[in-house]
């Protein structure tokens, strides 16, 4: 939940110009999704791990962020390995582990691990408003960037209000989120929150119109591109070339 | 319900982004300045819904609210869905940035279908309970459609993923039922308290 908490650390990744960092990381994520070769899998796993260390993000926080992925892989890897395809490499009674399944599970795990780490580093090292501003530089429509900024703000308001409503309902003796039998109480709270937020959004819009809102936010901040940014982007361009070259071989 | 990073072939990921761009493009043509805050609020609700878990038997399911988003926002729903999915990917690593396009299409298309059918029904039926039940059935159907599409993509992504595709659809099947009940109750309450929230109502008033 704390996306912007680590954006003030001093590191080579944090000081990277946001525009070039975004385009490089998005490229890296797409290229990582394309990797199938064993050597390339080692390269992307090592590169993503190094990115975490260079960014200086707290390891405990990174591991916590990886928890959903670990849970998914814990469920997915055995299922894929046990799906009958090709030769069985291990069997115990009716349970058989298949080689092709195990290889596919390994490839998926390394790719997912590398992409998620890169995502954590990108959004852990740059404030979300700076990333959205950088995306505006690449001509994403201002309506989308405004919706992204508003949604980011509303998420925290929504969670805060939801927690307040859930606490007050529990204090009044309502049993919530306890299964299908209590679904009506829970939905009533969610709907009242949605209606309240919706009405609030209308008031916010009228207030913004009065202050001269014209559909997009203006900012006086500007990006600066220095020679270390060229070096960092250059290293990744070389990495991309090597990965694609190995993959084509 | 989301497809995670690393599972899909890059061609499918890129195809997903192209289709998502088309859906967002259509929504952008129709969106007005006053809709921005509404889309953002519903996008935030869509995001938060993934944090709400209902205990069903020994397991638990988390909501998606695809049907509700479709009925409330209409053609703009793809904007709220892609925004919600983006923040789910970067804040909780649910889904992923490489599969953001595919996930957006898988959620937006059922949401738009729900809106299309609900809009037709809304012009003919006035009873709030009946409308709520229809919305619930449509929302449940939308989740089933999304599950089937995910299963289809996983099934044809490789022979090794077929077992996972079956298990995914079975484990998420109960979500359609929960989602249907939640949407039915929600639409009945919205119709009673603030029908202006529904896209079909706003269009009828115009």
């Amino acid at each position: 939940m704390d996306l912007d908490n680590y954006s003030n650390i001093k590191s080579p990744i944090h000081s990277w110009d946001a525009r070039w960092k975004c385009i490089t990381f998005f490229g890296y994520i797409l290229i990582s999704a394309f990797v199938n070769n064993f050597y390339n899998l080692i390269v992307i796993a090592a590169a993503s791990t190094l990115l975490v260390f260079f960014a200086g993000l707290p390891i405990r926080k990174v591991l916590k962020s990886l928890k959903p992925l670990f849970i998914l892989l814990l469920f997915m890897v055995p299922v894929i390995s046990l799906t009958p395809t090709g030769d069985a490499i291990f069997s115990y009674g009716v349970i058989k582990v298949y080689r092709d399944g195990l290889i596919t599970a390994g490839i998926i795990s390394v790719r997912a691990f590398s992409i998620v780490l890169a995502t954590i580093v990108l959004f852990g090292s740059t404030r979300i408003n700076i990333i959205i501003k950088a995306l505006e530089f690449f001509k994403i429509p201002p309506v989308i960037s405004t919706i992204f900024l508003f949604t980011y703000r509303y998420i925290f308001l929504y969670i805060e209000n939801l927690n307040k409503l859930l606490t007050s309902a529990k204090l009044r003796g309502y049993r919530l989120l306890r299964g299908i039998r209590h679904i009506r109480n829970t939905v009533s709270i969610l709907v009242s929150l949605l209606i309240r937020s919706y009405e609030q959004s209308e008031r916010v819009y009228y207030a913004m119109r009065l202050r001269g809102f014209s559909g997009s936010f203006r900012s006086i901040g500007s990006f600066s591109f220095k020679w270390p940014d060229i070096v960092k982007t250059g290293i990744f361009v070389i990495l991309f070339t090597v990965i694609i070259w190995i993959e084509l071989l | 319900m989301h497809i995670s990073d690393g599972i899909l072939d890059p061609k499918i990921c890129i195809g997903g982004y192209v289709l998502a761009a088309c859906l967002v493009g259509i929504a952008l043509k129709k969106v007005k300045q006053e809709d921005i805050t509404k889309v953002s609020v519903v996008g935030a609700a869509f995001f938060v819904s993934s944090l709400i878990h209902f205990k069903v038997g020994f397991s638990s399911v988390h909501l998606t609210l695809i049907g509700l988003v479709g009925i409330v926002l209409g053609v703009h729903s793809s904007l709220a869905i892609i925004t919600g999915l983006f923040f789910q990917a970067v804040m909780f690593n649910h889904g992923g940035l490489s599969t953001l396009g595919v996930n957006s299409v898988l959620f937006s298309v059922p949401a738009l279908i729900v809106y299309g059918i609900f809009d037709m029904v809304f012009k003919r039926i006035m009873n709030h309970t009946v409308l709520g039940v229809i919305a619930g059935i449509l929302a449940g159907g939308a989740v089933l459609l999304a599950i089937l599409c995910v299963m289809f993509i996983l099934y044809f992504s490789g022979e090794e993923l077929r077992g996972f595709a079956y298990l995914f659809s079975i484990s998420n099947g109960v979500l359609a039922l929960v989602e249907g009940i939640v949407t039915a109750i929600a639409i009945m309450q919205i119709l009673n308290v603030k029908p202006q929230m529904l896209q079909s109502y706003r269009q009828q008033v115009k």
Side-chain angles (χ1 to χ4, degrees), chain A residues 64-75:
Chain A
K64 203 178 160 191
S65 303
L66 285 171
K67 201 174 141 193
L69 178 67
F70 282 136
I71 293 168
L72 177 77
L73 292 178
L74 210 66
F75 167 73

Side-chain angles (χ1 to χ4, degrees), chain A residues 25-41:
Chain A
F25 272 70
F26 283 125
Y28 178 71
I29 285 166
L30 276 182
I31 283 179
S32 299
F34 165 81
V35 163
N36 273 316
N37 183 285
F38 174 74
Y39 297 108
N40 269 342
L41 289 168

